Amino acid sequence: MGIKKEGIKLINEDGLRIDGRKPDELRPIKIEAGVLKRADGSAYIEWGKNKILVGVYGPRELHPRHLQDPTKAKVQCRYDMASFSVIDRKRPGPDRRSIEISKIIGEALENVIFTHQFPRTSIDIYIEVLEANAGTRCAGLTAASVALADAGIPMKDLIAAVSVGKVDGEIVLDLVKEEDNYGEADVPIGYVPRTGEVVLLQMDGDLSYEEFEKALNMGIEACKKIYEMQKDALKRKYVKVATEIVEEVE
Ligand code: CDP
């Protein structure tokens, strides 16, 4: 964002973007629930060129005990990018960016998890980015919601998330890396379809009020589609489990 982009055209004469998408088109998304045996819940998402794995543990007793909250569970989220996930090797371990993303994803999820049902416990969410191409916080949050549901953790609803922004003066959905780097704005949105709440909203760059309204509406419409994919992933997982149980009984 904000890098000078002399001569780089992000939208062509036909109004199409560098990967051929229309302004309001999502990248291809594939979600799988229950991909890890040892975790209480898990999910894997491929979103364009992003590949992200999420493991969830808990609710489990929180250690050290002085960190326990007697009124509710503590939601602890760790977003991590593999060294090989980006073109320039990423230095392993937490940095400012991953600490920020862990915080905002954890806080978004606290809005939907019924934390008061599990005092003194922790719910641990591990988000591992294996390949990154912009929009990883949204893809990570989308997958984390599925992993929490897969763990059977009671929630108000899933959160669906997507990024919207502005490139070459146009409002566009689901930015790729070049659009994120050379565009004018990037706005990640986390949306709770059942309640209509927005639980994650950030803005890098500038938008006018009218542009922001248009971007928000575009993002919410896309979140409704992503929500269907999340539910479909969970249904497929439970059909698989039910089939395995039937086969065992027979
Ligand atoms: O991934 P997201 O868009 O949520 O976050 P960002 O901070 O806007 O990062 C945008 C993209 O920059 C990431 O998805 C990566 O593709 C890339 N990136 C990178 O190449 N090296 C890093 N150390 C961090 C991010």
Side-chain angles (χ1 to χ4, degrees):
M1 197 67 40
I3 301 172
K4 269 261 165 271
K5 55 142 191 152
E6 302 308 334
I8 300 177
K9 233 172 137 15
L10 294 169
I11 297 191
N12 71 15
E13 304 75 42
D14 300 326
L16 298 179
R17 296 154 68 182
I18 49 167
D19 58 0
R21 279 182 298 151
K22 298 190 199 89
D24 62 349
E25 203 175 326
L26 279 168
R27 288 177 278 183
I29 300 175
K30 264 183 9 201
I31 312 174
E32 292 286 329
V35 291
L36 301 173
K37 278 258 173 326
R38 212 157 291 155
D40 294 325
S42 58
Y44 174 66
I45 191 163
E46 281 187 13
W47 180 321
K49 289 180 183 157
N50 293 310
K51 293 194 173 82
I52 303 173
L53 192 55
V54 181
V56 165
Y57 292 83
R60 59 185 177 184
E61 192 179 359
L62 175 60
H63 291 289
R65 292 184 69 170
H66 72 267
L67 293 179
Q68 291 181 356
D69 185 333
T71 65
K72 59 178 174 42
K74 198 167 175 179
V75 177
Q76 305 197 103
C77 177
R78 196 196 68 189
Y79 164 103
D80 178 57
M81 257 184 160
S83 299
F84 52 80
S85 65
V86 287
I87 292 167
D88 302 315
R89 174 182 179 274
K90 187 208 161 271
R91 224 172 135 208
D95 52 17
R96 269 172 61 109
R97 177 178 170 276
S98 59
I99 293 167
E100 175 225 322
I101 297 178
S102 303
K103 182 175 186 295
I104 54 117
I105 293 180
E107 286 174 0
L109 290 166
E110 262 188 56
N111 286 288
V112 291
I113 300 172
F114 290 122
T115 52
H116 292 283
Q117 290 185 12
F118 306 100
R120 300 186 195 286
T121 67
S122 78
I123 295 170
D124 301 318
I125 303 152
Y126 298 96
I127 301 175
E128 297 294 333
V129 179
L130 307 175
E131 255 175 52
N133 190 284
T136 59
R137 74 193 64 206
C138 294
L141 176 53
T142 298
S145 304
V146 173
L148 284 161
D150 180 48
I153 291 171
M155 291 189 286
K156 244 199 287 197
D157 197 5
L158 300 165
I159 302 174
V162 73
S163 185
V164 279
K166 184 175 161 188
V167 302
D168 285 358
E170 277 248 24
I171 299 300
V172 296
L173 181 71
D174 188 17
L175 282 64
V176 290
K177 177 123 173 42
E178 293 76 3
E179 293 174 328
D180 183 311
N181 286 162
Y182 308 120
E184 291 103 75
D186 177 19
V187 182
I189 297 168
Y191 179 68
V192 185
R194 186 168 292 168
T195 60
E197 287 166 282
V198 173
V199 289
L200 167 69
L201 184 62
Q202 297 182 291
M203 176 143 69
D204 187 9
D206 291 310
L207 291 179
S208 69
Y209 183 78
E210 287 71 28
E211 286 170 338
F212 173 73
E213 243 188 341
K214 184 175 174 190
L216 186 63
N217 288 332
M218 193 185 266
I220 289 174
E221 284 316 305
C223 284
K224 291 178 186 166
K225 292 183 195 155
I226 295 160
Y227 183 54
E228 294 306 317
M229 299 180 212
Q230 290 173 298
K231 288 192 292 185
D232 183 58
L234 288 162
K235 282 183 198 155
R236 275 186 278 116
K237 154 79 194 289
Y238 287 104
V239 167
K240 190 167 159 249
V241 171
T243 314
E244 279 166 12
I245 292 170
V246 170
E247 279 168 5
E248 256 175 51
V249 173
E250 279 173 356

